[in-house]
Amino acid sequence: MIKNIVFDMGKVLTAYRADAVACHFIEDEAERKEVCTSVFVSPEWVLLDMGVISEEEALKKIQARLSTAHAREMARLCLEHWHEYNMWPVEEMGELVRQLKKRGFGIYLCSNASLRLLSCYQKVIPAIDCFDGILFSAEEKCMKPQKEIYLRLFERFSLKPKECYFIDDWDLNIEGAKACGMDGYCFADGDIGKLKKVLEGFPNPTGE
């Protein structure tokens, strides 16, 4: 029986747009694209999510790829402020979380995210008060779909894989979870109605 629902964060519980912060700070379209690519489509971004590089180190490498002093300064602003602009709560998902909590499910989060999120996740994750556990990849120095992060999730919160159901927007992450014994649902289409129907088919853990 499924007793716990494990959510991803970006594009599941929160909406995410990588260029939103660049649109805020940068007027020139070509420069905006250059900076956004250098910051958010970069090996440094992945390394930040893995927790194996500091933001200072990442910024130096990001800026080294940029062609002008202005672009380098814009990259600094984007890296410093991205969490203020790039993601926001999906309120309907918050309502779903509250419904699941009321039905008796344990609610957990497993997300590829940098240490920056530790200081602000309470502001962007809807129904945050309902969560029984939060796990970010940077804390564990591994990330989805590596098996290590799922095993850390189970160990840290004393969860049995077969009693957990994982919701993520990337199929590879669902496959990684399944390889560790946790079934899941790929939320790539963002259709909350379809997801609700799937979850409504699970009996309440309390039997009520």
Side-chain angles (χ1 to χ4, degrees):
M1 175 185 288
I2 299 298
K3 297 181 179 180
N4 307 290
I5 309 298
V6 183
F7 289 91
D8 177 33
M9 183 172 59
K11 298 184 179 180
V12 177
L13 292 170
T14 68
Y16 181 80
R17 179 183 165 189
D19 67 345
V21 67
C23 290
H24 178 80
F25 286 112
I26 307 170
E27 293 184 6
D28 182 78
E29 185 176 349
E31 184 182 56
R32 187 189 308 148
K33 183 176 180 180
E34 180 188 16
V35 170
C36 194
T37 299
S38 188
V39 175
F40 301 113
V41 188
S42 69
E44 292 79 30
W45 191 253
V46 176
L47 294 174
L48 286 169
D49 278 357
M50 290 192 73
V52 296
I53 190 173
S54 70
E55 290 195 1
E56 292 76 16
E57 292 174 294
L59 180 59
K60 287 180 181 179
K61 293 179 181 296
I62 287 167
Q63 289 178 321
R65 291 193 292 269
L66 295 168
S67 57
T68 68
H70 187 265
R72 290 189 284 274
E73 173 60 13
M74 292 302 99
R76 184 190 67 79
L77 287 173
C78 287
L79 186 61
E80 183 175 335
H81 295 282
W82 70 267
H83 63 286
E84 300 169 19
Y85 298 95
N86 286 16
M87 58 184 180
W88 54 95
V90 178
E91 297 303 335
E92 192 175 353
M93 289 298 289
E95 294 169 8
L96 174 58
V97 168
R98 292 195 184 282
Q99 292 169 6
L100 292 167
K101 188 69 174 179
K102 189 174 181 180
R103 290 174 57 193
F105 290 97
I107 306 293
Y108 296 88
L109 180 110
C110 181
S111 178
N112 287 346
S114 67
L115 294 175
R116 174 76 64 84
L117 272 296
L118 292 175
S119 65
C120 65
Y121 71 86
Q122 298 93 336
K123 298 178 182 178
V124 296
I125 297 175
I128 187 61
D129 56 297
C130 293
F131 281 77
D132 298 289
I134 304 283
L135 187 143
F136 289 133
S137 59
E139 292 183 281
E140 305 301 327
K141 293 186 169 48
C142 56
M143 59 193 298
K144 300 175 297 183
Q146 292 177 301
K147 67 179 181 180
E148 287 81 4
I149 194 167
Y150 304 107
L151 298 179
R152 300 277 177 82
L153 174 76
F154 305 143
E155 180 182 5
R156 179 184 289 192
F157 302 115
S158 300
L159 303 175
K160 296 179 180 180
K162 65 181 181 182
E163 295 179 349
C164 298
Y165 193 75
F166 186 42
I167 301 164
D168 194 286
D169 66 304
W170 198 27
D171 193 53
L172 275 178
N173 293 340
I174 298 298
E175 291 177 9
K178 288 182 177 180
C180 294
M182 174 169 61
D183 200 0
Y185 178 94
C186 184
F187 190 61
D189 61 4
D191 190 327
I192 298 176
K194 283 171 57 179
L195 174 61
K196 284 181 177 179
K197 288 182 180 178
V198 171
L199 296 175
E200 285 169 0
F202 295 167
N204 293 350
T206 59
E208 298 178 1

